[in-house]
Each structure stands twice: as structure tokens, then as C-alpha cells.
Amino acid sequence: MDEKALPGRLPERDRPWVMRTYAGHSSAAATNALFRRNLAKGQTGLSVAFDLPTQTGYDPDHELAAGEVGRVGVPVAHLGDMRALFDGIPLADMNTSMTINAPAMWLLALYGTVGAEQGAELSRCAGTTQNDIIKEYLSRGTHIFPPAASLRLTADVVAYTLREMPRWNPVNVCSYHLQEAGATPVQEVGFALSTAVAVLDAVRDSGQVPAERMGDVVQRISFFVNAGVRFVEEIAKMRAFGALWDEITRERYGVRDAKQRRFRYGVQVNSLGLTEAQPENNIQRIVLEMLGVTLSRDARARAVQLPAWNEALGLPRPWDQQWSLRMQQVLAYESDLLEYPDLFEGSHVMTALVEEIVTGARVELEKVLEMGGVVAAVETGYLKSALVASLAERRRRMESGADVVVGVNRFTETEPSPLTAAGAESVEQVDPAVEAAATASVRRWRDGRDDAAVDAALARLRADAATTTNLMPATLECVRAGVTTGEWAGVLRQVFGEYRAPTGLTGAAGSGGDPGLAAVRARVTATARELGSGRLRLLVGKPGLDGHSNGAEQIAVRARDAGFEVVYQGIRLTAGQIVAAAVEEDVDLVGLSVLSGSHLAAVPAVLDGLRAAGRPDLPVVVGGIIPAGDAQQLRAAGVARVFTPKDFALTGIIDELVTVVREANGLR
């Protein structure tokens, strides 16, 4: 009997999704070599990770870029860097995803210019700019401009690509980081769709797109989602996303073509759910999360990128990325998954679960719209507070053991892992010389260009930004004149201003019934009394450009619940600003959070600043993804404690902070 004729089989296999790995580090040349190796191994698309200076609109020689250049992605400061990044890679034949938001217009202009130099027809170029600024205010923290100005840039990119790059996805509405920031499935769907509505409204209201072409806009809006380990719930979430998107685009925007209303999404499975403890368990987590977005044919992702098993330890090596790519290939090419229609059609369990998420997400969406839309919900702090509260509840469940994390809060006994036996060699190391090379390179680039052309291009950008003119033509002129990333963003900072988003701490839920908190609260009160102060004061600082603030916010919430007075000014601070706040606020302890890997540069800068300010006695603790060898260096430099992801019990961390204060002040 012909296997292919078995009942329920499709006459033809479904096509595999685009397979990517999220890659970029050190330099454009090094990343180009990595891209070529990955493509040779069967990867079918590129996903570019940019470093934090590029994401936040700074050149490598800016003060805030210190320690961050080339660390979490590739630095791209000008057209020459973009040429090197895609050297020998035909962009006309490539599907490229770029995780870039605030400066998305700039990076798209660089990409399109390189494509044109290669002889590619822009109308053939396919790919995606993430370009979802809303979630940056809520989670990743790489925003630059205020919400209204940012949405204006997004609408301009949408209108431009509709005319010039019709195969390009100009916006990738990103619920991925909402989940990492604590969103429940209902919040993730509701908040992400609120963002999509804001983008579509901005495009419609800009007057740049005729009403009859809104269907063309809708069909180029894609989504980038997170898939957690609760993979049955994730399947339902994706089906709910599709149902609500179809409803919104049909009823709110009048799109009649069902193909244009199709929910199109790519996915990266949950990186922050990976554990430092027993990291070999991350492999099965990644596989289960991949199933959540591939098992259901009617809601299957069209692009998938998987993290590596060791991302909780540091930067993955090429071999680690290859392992993740092979997981996708085994599922797509060895299993029979793609041979069948939707496996969940008619399932009473799945139908009920989907309806539950749809109903809850619709309520969240309507609540945001009643506030005046997602921009108002950001500016009032509603969205951020909701996410901080949800993440606090998730942490409470893990700390209490209600949610089991294997190897972390249960089944912690383990054999030594051969995967990590080599210590720091189990992750990629970034050469400290990378930053110096990038700094020298951008200065050579500035020296070799036509200053008059640069000045004229920036003047045009400044003038156009003060009007409602589409900014893409002026941006393209800047690219061709040799303007740098920092100069482009700097002009728009002058016109639009720079935005500091709400922290979400006000009114955030605390630790509930944590039985250990009362004892810690008593220690806080007693220590403050012995020091002769009203309350212990903790400064939580985020030095450098690292915008992932979830951990810092949870520490701040728990410390506040334990009786500390918490000083938290948000993300993206210089060492000088942190030191000034510590001295001015007369704090008892400074806690620094660094997740980008720049701790060996950022933390000593704060320690040096405190010594210069006459406060060498002020204790400093650090939390982040910090290898054991780096932790030893930090302690030798004067850091009192180093906390890493394995220190998951927040109340225990706060208790240890009290001990640090007592030790620093000579108390028993």
C-alpha cells in the first residue's frame, strides 16, 4: 500500500517554514563569515542581531557605547559596515529579518542601498524590519523617541515599502518580549493586537496610503511571537491570534480578501525561560516550544528561529547555533508533521481553550482602545504596570514551587555536565579589541567623506522631521552621503526629543503570601534602626545600553515589599548618573543589573566613580548573566555580591542584600 495514500494525508507536504538563527557579533566582517557558514549548513533565511549602540542610535565611540560594542550583536555605524555585513550574499535572493526598532528606517535605508549597489531590484527584496517600538517601552528598552514620533517613523516606513519594496514586511509586531516581561497569553494577544491597531491607524491617518490599499498594508504586517514550554497553551494562543486578527482587519479596516487577512508570524522560542542550572535541560525545552508553533497547520509559523542551549550562560558558539538549526531540520524533513492537515480541527479541548484566550484578549484590547489607544496606555504606565504585576505573580509561583522548573526548584541533584566542563570555553568570547577597532573604523569613515554632503543631508533630515514629510527620502540621502547611525539618530533626537518610559513599579503586585518575607522585613527594619535612619535605601541601576529591565524591576518590587526605600530611575544610565544618584539620595546599597555582557566595563566604571565621589565604602552588588570567571574579577574589584540567573529566589536575594548592608557598616 502506498504510504502517501493513507487516510488523512495531504496530497502534497506543507512547505517547511523559513529556518533562521539569530546571529551577529563582534564586527560586520566576522558576522558575514558566520552568515555564510550558517547558509551553507541549510539555513534558509538570515536574522540579524545588532549590538545595543546600533539599536539605540549611537556610534561606537559614544560614551554610552562603552563596553557594549559588538557584544549582543553586530555594530553597524554606516554604509560601509552594511556593505561588509552582506558582502557576497545576494540580497535579491535572500529573506532577511532585522531585529531593529527605533532606527528601523535607518537600517532599512542602509540595507536597500546595499541591495541597489548589488544590482538587486528593490521590488524583489524580501524580509522584515521588526520596527515595533511599543514593546521597547515595555520590555527591551531600546526606544529613542517619544511614542507619537516613533509611530510617525513606522508609518513612513510602511508607506515607503508599499511603493518601493512590496515584498518587504515593514513592521513585525512583537509579542515575544511581552511574554518575557510577564504577559499571560491573554495579555500577550491583547497587547500585541493593540500595537497592530496603533500602527494601522497611524498609516491610515497619515494620508500616505489610499483607503483602497489598506488591504495591501495589512497583508505585509507580520508578527513575531514567543513560544513558551506550555506548548498546548501556545498552540491555542496562536490560533486565537489568527482568529482575532481576521476579525479586526475585516471589521476595523474593511479588508475583504481573506488572503490579505491571514495572520503571518515568525517565532523565536523562549530564551529567558532557559536556565543556567543544568543547561542541558534547555534542549528539551526548546524542542517542546518549537512544537507549540509548528504542530497546528492552520496556525503554523512561517519562520522559526531557535535559541541555543547555552544562552543563559553567554554568547552561543557557531556549533551551538548549528545544533538548534538541526532541531528544526529533523522536525521538518525527518518527521511526518508536514504531511497532514491540521491536527486539532474539531478538538473540543482546543476549541474551548482558544475561545477562552480570544474572549480575554478582546477585553484587554477594548480596555486599551477605551484609554485612547496603545500610546496612551504606554504613557499612563498601564501596560508596564500590568506586565510587572504579571511577572511578579509568575515569580511567586516559581518560588513557591507551584510552577516546577526542572533543575532549578525541583530535581536539583545532578551529575557534572560534559557540556559545561570546559567552563568559560562553553560560550563564545568577544574580543575586547572589537570596541577599539569599531571606534577607529567609524572615525576613519568620518575622515574620508564629503563633509558638505553630510551637512546638507542632515540639514534636510532636520527640516523634513519638523514637518509631516515622509522621512525615508531624507534618510536615504543621509545613507548615500556617509552619515553615521549616531548622527542620523542625533538629529531626530534634537527634533523629537528622547523618551524615558514609565518603570511600572507603582502599584505593581508584590510577593503575596511569601512566608519568608516577614523575617526579611524585620531585618530591614532592625538594620535601619541600628544605623539611625528611617529606612534602608537601595539604588537599582541599569548602566550602559542594556534595556532588559525585567529582573531589575522584580528586585525593586520585592525590596520595596521588604521595607526598603527603592530608588530606580529606569534604564540606560551612565556610570556618572548612577554615582550622582547614589550620593544625592544617600543610599545604603547600590544594585547594578547588566544582562548584555558588558559587566566588566560597566561595573568598574561605577566603582571608580564612587571612589572619586568620596564613597568607596558604599557597597555595590551586581546581577546578570555573568560567567564564574567574570564574577571572580568583579568581586576582586570590590563588588560585594554577584547574583546570576540561578539565584531565582527573590526574597533570599533581598535577605542577602540586608546582610551586605550590615557587613558594610560593621553590624553583627
Side-chain angles (χ1 to χ4, degrees):
M1 181 178 177
D2 183 2
E3 253 192 16
K4 301 296 182 187
L6 287 173
R9 294 250 183 168
L10 290 169
E12 295 182 5
R13 284 172 58 95
D14 191 17
R15 63 184 175 89
W17 49 89
V18 175
M19 299 182 189
R20 297 184 173 121
T21 51
Y22 184 47
H25 67 89
S26 301
S27 68
T31 301
N32 174 266
L34 179 60
F35 284 168
R36 290 174 182 241
R37 290 200 300 272
N38 287 346
L39 290 169
K41 294 172 183 174
Q43 182 174 303
T44 54
L46 296 178
S47 180
V48 186
F50 296 99
D51 72 354
L52 287 175
T54 305
Q55 292 186 51
T56 52
Y58 293 107
D59 290 333
D61 57 350
H62 192 279
E63 176 189 10
L64 274 170
E68 306 282 11
V69 177
R71 192 162 292 280
V72 300
V74 59
V76 175
H78 48 71
L79 182 58
D81 286 340
M82 190 64 93
R83 288 171 179 152
L85 183 62
F86 293 107
D87 181 42
I89 299 174
L91 299 188
D93 303 323
M94 189 53 54
N95 190 304
T96 305
S97 172
M98 295 192 285
T99 301
I100 196 73
N101 296 283
M105 175 183 286
W106 175 248
L107 271 297
L108 178 61
L110 289 171
Y111 185 90
T113 300
V114 170
E117 289 178 349
Q118 290 182 355
E121 296 178 25
L122 289 183
S123 59
R124 286 187 56 206
C125 289
T128 301
T129 34
Q130 191 170 99
N131 206 11
D132 172 6
I133 199 63
I134 299 299
K135 62 91 175 49
E136 298 301 323
Y137 303 123
L138 303 176
S139 176
R140 286 185 77 243
T142 66
H143 54 276
I144 303 174
F145 316 114
S150 297
L151 279 177
R152 180 247 180 112
L153 291 174
T154 299
D156 284 356
V157 169
V158 173
Y160 170 81
T161 56
L162 192 65
R163 293 190 306 270
E164 306 294 337
M165 303 177 72
R167 294 184 61 197
W168 193 268
N169 300 325
V171 182
N172 199 215
V173 177
C174 184
S175 73
Y176 176 89
H177 296 92
L178 299 181
Q179 183 182 117
E180 290 200 338
T184 64
V186 163
Q187 289 174 323
E188 185 180 345
V189 174
F191 294 173
L193 291 176
S194 298
T195 296
V197 166
V199 170
L200 290 174
D201 283 359
V203 172
R204 180 193 61 195
D205 298 343
S206 73
Q208 299 186 68
V209 176
E212 63 272 15
R213 295 210 64 189
M214 282 302 292
D216 296 326
V217 173
V218 165
Q219 73 174 352
R220 300 317 307 175
I221 304 296
S222 62
F223 289 74
F224 184 66
V225 305
N226 200 336
V229 75
R230 293 171 59 82
F231 71 97
V232 176
E233 189 173 70
E234 295 295 342
I235 293 169
K237 181 187 77 181
M238 298 320 307
R239 294 169 78 94
F241 250 133
L244 275 173
W245 181 242
D246 184 81
E247 175 186 307
I248 290 167
T249 53
R250 184 181 65 252
E251 296 181 3
R252 189 177 181 91
Y253 302 104
V255 180
R256 297 291 167 240
D257 187 338
K259 289 183 179 179
Q260 292 181 324
R261 298 196 308 267
R262 184 168 63 91
F263 184 75
R264 302 161 56 252
Y265 78 98
V267 64
Q268 161 131 346
V269 306
N270 187 11
S271 293
L272 280 189
L274 305 182
T275 64
E276 178 187 10
Q278 299 181 26
E280 61 274 12
N281 294 333
N282 294 329
I283 292 298
Q284 47 266 38
R285 291 186 179 107
I286 292 169
V287 171
L288 287 172
E289 290 164 352
M290 176 174 59
L291 291 178
V293 292
T294 55
L295 281 180
S296 172
R297 187 177 188 272
D298 290 349
R300 182 170 292 149
R302 296 320 311 175
V304 176
Q305 60 191 47
L306 304 181
W309 68 276
N310 55 349
E311 286 199 14
L313 306 178
L315 185 67
R317 302 158 299 185
W319 183 87
D320 306 313
Q321 293 191 328
Q322 174 183 298
W323 194 357
S324 292
L325 175 63
R326 295 295 185 246
M327 292 180 204
Q328 295 196 60
Q329 291 169 329
V330 168
L331 180 63
Y333 297 109
E334 291 191 26
S335 84
D336 59 350
L337 174 65
L338 300 181
E339 297 173 11
Y340 292 94
D342 193 272
L343 304 178
F344 300 95
E345 185 177 353
S347 164
H348 298 300
V349 172
M350 186 58 65
T351 299
L353 188 52
V354 169
E355 184 55 38
E356 180 181 337
I357 295 174
V358 165
T359 300
R362 191 182 285 117
V363 170
E364 287 290 354
L365 174 60
E366 290 171 354
K367 185 184 300 182
V368 169
L369 293 178
E370 287 172 2
M371 291 179 180
V374 75
V375 169
V378 167
E379 292 175 337
T380 61
Y382 167 72
L383 293 181
K384 184 65 174 177
S385 294
L387 293 175
V388 171
S390 293
L391 186 56
E393 171 58 19
R394 185 192 298 172
R395 295 285 313 202
R396 185 198 64 76
R397 292 197 307 270
M398 187 178 76
E399 291 180 74
S400 69
D403 287 355
V404 174
V405 182
V406 173
V408 175
N409 64 358
R410 193 182 296 184
F411 312 117
T412 54
E413 302 78 9
T414 183
E415 298 293 327
S417 169
L419 292 175
T420 56
E425 295 176 5
S426 63
V427 295
E428 188 82 10
Q429 299 297 315
V430 176
D431 189 338
V434 163
E435 185 168 319
T439 296
S441 175
V442 75
R443 289 173 179 167
R444 284 195 303 271
W445 176 266
R446 294 194 195 107
D447 290 341
R449 64 192 183 179
D450 182 342
D451 290 341
V454 169
D455 292 343
L458 290 174
R460 178 186 176 186
L461 178 66
R462 185 179 293 106
D464 285 359
T467 69
T468 58
T469 302
N470 188 301
L471 293 180
M472 197 69 187
T475 296
L476 285 165
E477 182 179 331
C478 287
V479 167
R480 292 188 287 265
V483 167
T484 66
T485 298
E487 291 168 338
W488 177 86
V491 164
L492 295 185
R493 279 185 172 96
Q494 293 170 9
V495 179
F496 297 147
E498 192 160 7
Y499 188 70
R500 295 196 69 80
T503 64
L505 298 190
T506 304
S511 58
D514 183 348
L517 191 60
V520 177
R521 191 179 292 119
R523 289 193 75 207
V524 170
T525 301
T527 301
R529 184 173 59 249
E530 290 176 60
L531 291 175
S533 60
R535 296 176 70 184
L536 293 187
R537 296 167 66 81
L538 165 67
L539 172 66
V540 177
K542 291 285 296 178
L545 297 177
D546 169 31
H548 286 86
S549 58
N550 301 333
E553 288 154 3
Q554 292 304 308
I555 290 290
V557 169
R558 189 63 58 87
R560 183 194 64 190
D561 291 348
F564 275 92
E565 182 175 340
V566 177
V567 179
Y568 177 55
Q569 298 172 325
I571 61 172
R572 220 182 299 168
L573 300 172
T574 65
Q577 289 172 321
I578 291 172
V579 169
V583 173
E584 182 179 340
E585 299 286 351
D586 192 24
V587 299
D588 299 289
L589 177 66
V590 174
L592 303 178
S593 170
V594 186
L595 293 173
S596 65
S598 64
H599 43 267
L600 291 182
V603 176
V606 173
L607 294 172
D608 291 344
L610 289 172
R611 282 191 285 268
R615 290 301 311 273
D617 57 313
L618 187 58
V620 175
V621 301
V622 181
I625 299 175
I626 301 173
D630 290 0
Q632 291 176 2
Q633 290 188 53
L634 292 175
R635 285 191 289 268
V639 170
R641 298 288 190 280
V642 176
F643 301 98
T644 68
K646 69 177 182 296
D647 302 303
F648 72 94
L650 293 184
T651 300
I653 292 174
I654 304 304
D655 192 34
E656 191 64 18
L657 297 186
V658 182
T659 299
V660 169
V661 172
R662 296 184 67 84
E663 289 175 351
N665 288 277
L667 302 178
R668 281 191 309 112

